[in-house]
Every structure is written in structure tokens, then in C-alpha cells.
Amino acid sequence: MNSKRYIRNQVKEALDSLTDEQYRQASQQIADHLIASSDWKASNVVALTISRGREVNTNQIIQLAWEQGKRVAVPRADFIEKTMTFYEIKNFAELEEGDYGLREPVPNICPIVPFDELDLIIVPGLAFDKDGGRLGFGGGFYDRFLPKVKVKTIALAFSCQLVPLVPTEEHDQKVDDIICPTGFVR
Ligand SMILES: Nc1ncnc2c1ncn2[C@@H]1O[C@H](COP(=O)(O)OP(=O)(O)OP(=O)(O)O)[C@@H](O)[C@H]1O
Ligand SMILES: [Mg+2]
């Protein structure tokens, strides 16, 4: 879909122009809002991806989850089946470089976390709108996975990732909440 590609390019450009300081500060502000939220406090098993490039930094969030006694589940993607399996990681050494340079859990040492054990999902994505519309990275992984779980979904987004309207197709799944540096915007 062309309009999806257009927004992906626009947002990627805006993200690339963030300075290191802006990236650090905004990531910290977003993490602070998440950690103060009632959904975070109420959750024991949190699903997250390992951020890279100009994605909102999830490393500090994961570290804090461990310190607070939460379990952290990270997906491993199967690019043939287009599915994800979540594994519990207890430290960052349990990650390896998977397909497409993603940092993913090592399956032999990490236990699988069944979908029904997840109680909060931090959903990655490139762009979002205030209606919860979401533009991912183009694999359809979360669009396939989210209908299988019925738990709270939260997206973390820099201000430039919040766009007036994300073009969506029937298969696209919305997120429940969105946290920007200024706080919850949805
Ligand atoms: N539930 C589904 N069943 C079958 N195909 C799907 C489903 N969801 C998405 N797809 C297909 O996956 C491809 C990518 O979808 P889309 O552009 O929405 O990805 P995305 O939302 O950016 O990805 P992701 O969910 O991994 O972040 C499209 O070709 C779409 O048709
Ligand atoms: Mg989609």
C-alpha cells in the first residue's frame, strides 16, 4: 500500500534526525510514564521487543522490570510461518542476533512463555494515530499475533511517530494506549 510506504519513509526520516540527546531524553520520559502507569504496576509478565536504532529505548524498561520482579518475554520471529514465539529472558546475555539483525532470545536456554501468561504487551511500531491505528515494520507479525491475545497493548512513540491518520487495512490491529514523551496520548 503506497500511503503506508510514504508514512514509513516520512517517519523514518524524522527519527533519523533526532539527536542522541533528544533520543535519550525522550526515551527516558516515555519510560517514566509507562512505569508510573497502573497497567505496568499491575502486570507480572511483560512482553517487549529489544529496541534498536531510533526505536524508543526498551533496555532501561526491561532492566527495571527485572528489578521490580516482573518476568520479561521477548519474541522470536519465524519469517517463514510469519509467527512469533515469546521466551522469557533473565538477562541480556540470553539474546543472540537472529534474522534481519534482530536481537532475539536463545531458544535453547530460555523457556517459552505461552501467550496466555502475558499480561501486558508493549507493541513496537513506526507510526501511530490517536485512534490507536498502528503502522508496523511491514511483516504483519503483530497483526497476526494480537488477535490471539486479549491483554492490554501499549505503544511507545516519539512525538514524530504520532501522525494524524495511519492508513489501515482490514488486518491491521490497533493498540489500546500510546505513550509519548508528554504522557499518554490515548
Ligand atoms: N492476519 C493476517 N493474516 C494474513 N496476512 C496478514 C495478516 N496481517 C497482516 N498480513 C499481511 O502481512 C503483510 C504486512 O502487513 P502490514 O503492512 O500491516 O505490516 P505491519 O503492521 O507493518 O507489520 P507488523 O505487524 O509486523 O508490525 C501484508 O501483506 C498483510 O496482508
Ligand atoms: Mg499492519
Side-chain angles (χ1 to χ4, degrees):
M1 202 181 178
N2 278 338
S3 49
K4 280 190 173 180
R5 192 185 318 152
Y6 176 78
I7 292 185
R8 280 196 180 99
N9 288 337
Q10 293 287 107
V11 171
K12 275 182 191 164
E13 231 171 78
L15 286 171
D16 283 344
S17 73
L18 289 177
T19 65
D20 289 348
E21 183 51 30
Q22 286 169 329
Y23 171 79
R24 262 195 303 272
Q25 196 182 10
S27 285
Q28 183 67 57
Q29 288 167 336
I30 291 165
D32 290 345
H33 293 298
L34 171 66
I35 282 149
S37 71
S38 52
D39 284 311
W40 174 267
K41 288 176 184 162
S43 66
N44 290 315
V45 187
V46 186
L48 296 128
T49 52
I50 309 297
S51 56
R52 48 183 198 158
R54 280 315 198 213
E55 280 184 270
V56 174
N57 186 359
T58 56
N59 290 54
Q60 53 188 350
I61 297 170
I62 291 170
Q63 189 64 51
L64 200 98
W66 285 326
E67 285 164 22
Q68 295 183 347
K70 297 184 194 301
R71 295 169 63 205
V72 173
V74 173
R76 198 172 168 98
D78 180 331
F79 282 87
I80 294 165
E81 301 289 333
K82 302 272 186 195
T83 56
M84 295 189 292
T85 305
F86 285 82
Y87 295 86
E88 180 175 359
I89 61 163
K90 294 199 166 73
N91 59 67
F92 290 111
E94 293 178 347
L95 297 169
E96 65 180 8
E97 191 167 309
D99 291 338
Y100 297 92
L102 294 172
R103 284 178 70 213
E104 300 186 313
V106 180
N108 293 340
I109 58 173
C110 302
I112 288 180
V113 181
F115 290 170
D116 64 4
E117 287 183 18
L118 303 173
D119 45 32
L120 176 64
I121 299 169
I122 306 301
V123 182
L126 252 184
F128 304 90
D129 63 35
K130 284 193 176 174
D131 197 34
R134 165 182 176 273
L135 188 60
F137 294 94
F141 285 93
Y142 277 82
D143 288 325
R144 289 180 183 82
F145 158 63
L146 290 177
K148 298 178 188 162
V149 288
K150 277 284 149 275
V151 284
K152 189 65 169 268
T153 55
I154 302 182
L156 313 177
F158 297 117
S159 305
C160 64
Q161 292 177 277
L162 200 64
V163 301
L165 185 65
V166 167
T168 50
E169 299 162 89
E170 207 164 317
H171 66 260
D172 283 311
Q173 301 296 311
K174 288 185 176 183
V175 291
D176 294 323
D177 295 350
I178 303 168
I179 303 179
C180 276
T182 51
F184 279 83
V185 293
R186 172 188 161 77

